[in-house]
Amino acid sequence: MSRSEEGIVQIPTDELKTILINDADEPIIIDVREVNEYEEGHLPGIPLIPMNLIPSMAEKMDKSKSYILVCRSGRRSQNTALYLHEQGFENVRNYEGGMLDWDGEQEFGQQWVVKDPMELYR
């Protein structure tokens, strides 16, 4: 069951697993950790935009889309979700447990580091 924190919906692990199984175009799931953290294990097929790059990429991101943000524990992704919400993104959610709570499949290495936000919509 989802809950809200500071106006941001928090997604639990079981709900995120269901979303990943459905493999729909939305929501767009983004990992906001650092490159080395991402390489050590990340959600399969999920792109990386390090938190510090979000401000420079947000203006090119589609505000009408739905997003879920992921980090190590859920704190950085929560802060990033709050930032995006302040920038006019209406449907941005946080994976509350972060990778510390993730007990599903992972990929390793540098799979998909986003250089241009338009990559998210292909």
Side-chain angles (χ1 to χ4, degrees):
M1 182 73 159
S2 297
R3 63 181 186 84
S4 182
E5 182 179 320
E6 300 177 274
I8 302 296
V9 172
Q10 305 296 304
I11 303 294
T13 300
D14 59 340
E15 190 173 336
L16 183 58
K17 284 181 177 180
T18 299
I19 290 167
L20 288 168
I21 288 169
N22 291 335
D23 196 31
D25 290 340
E26 284 191 54
I28 298 166
I29 304 169
I30 302 171
D31 193 316
V32 298
R33 297 176 297 158
E34 296 299 316
V35 172
N36 63 320
E37 293 175 286
Y38 179 82
E39 290 175 343
E40 291 172 5
H42 55 272
L43 301 173
I46 302 306
L48 171 72
I49 302 177
M51 179 182 178
N52 66 327
L53 296 180
I54 293 287
S56 65
M57 293 199 178
E59 66 185 35
K60 293 181 180 177
M61 292 170 60
D62 188 341
K63 292 180 181 179
S64 70
K65 301 284 186 184
S66 171
Y67 299 90
I68 296 175
L69 304 180
V70 176
C71 72
R72 179 180 167 272
S73 68
R75 183 71 352 225
R76 281 180 283 177
S77 51
Q78 172 70 8
N79 289 334
T80 306
L82 287 167
Y83 172 80
L84 288 173
H85 188 71
E86 290 170 0
Q87 303 308 306
F89 289 77
E90 295 296 324
N91 196 351
V92 60
R93 295 172 282 171
N94 180 44
Y95 172 42
E96 69 177 333
M99 292 303 292
L100 290 175
D101 277 359
W102 184 252
D103 59 359
E105 183 182 344
Q106 291 188 48
E107 290 180 342
F108 301 91
Q110 196 177 80
Q111 304 296 318
W112 183 8
V113 179
V114 175
K115 305 250 188 284
D116 179 347
M118 296 313 293
E119 294 175 43
L120 299 170
Y121 314 116
R122 293 184 186 148

